[in-house]
Amino acid sequence: MSKVCTIAWVHGVVQGVGFRYSTQREAVELGLTGYARNMDDGSVEVVACGEAEQVDKLVAWLKAGGPRSARVDKVLTEPHQPGREYVNFGIRY
């Protein structure tokens, strides 16, 4: 089992609709660490670290639209090498 980290930027109607909290719930269920935070441009940045298969599941969930109240237009992802190890999946402000 390989550990990976992916950073994703989710664009669309993703702020003010509980997106970060739903993402946190999904990530915790998948056993991932990292964070979700709102960006100034209206997108949400998600860093997810854990088993590659579980990270892929979270990215697929993001691309599928996240919570029902959100509208995801696009998700951009790339591999990520965080400067620290995350102990949980948090919400940043």
Side-chain angles (χ1 to χ4, degrees):
M1 298 288 214
S2 62
K3 294 266 188 188
V4 300
C5 286
T6 295
I7 188 166
W9 295 275
V10 186
H11 297 267
V13 180
V14 293
Q15 290 190 10
V17 294
F19 196 91
R20 290 174 300 162
Y21 298 95
S22 295
T23 301
Q24 179 186 45
R25 188 168 53 249
E26 288 291 321
V28 168
E29 283 181 20
L30 292 169
L32 302 177
T33 61
Y35 65 85
R37 73 172 167 191
N38 286 344
M39 303 301 286
D40 291 340
D41 67 358
S43 66
V44 171
E45 179 182 82
V46 177
V47 170
C49 302
E51 300 297 336
E53 185 179 333
Q54 301 303 86
V55 171
D56 289 345
K57 285 180 183 176
L58 182 66
V59 171
W61 180 83
L62 293 171
K63 289 181 177 179
R68 282 192 302 252
S69 54
R71 189 192 79 232
V72 173
D73 295 334
K74 68 179 175 178
V75 178
L76 305 173
T77 63
E78 62 184 50
H80 185 57
Q81 292 292 329
R84 58 183 282 259
E85 191 163 323
Y86 302 103
V87 295
N88 61 11
F89 195 95
I91 293 174
R92 293 199 177 165
Y93 301 94

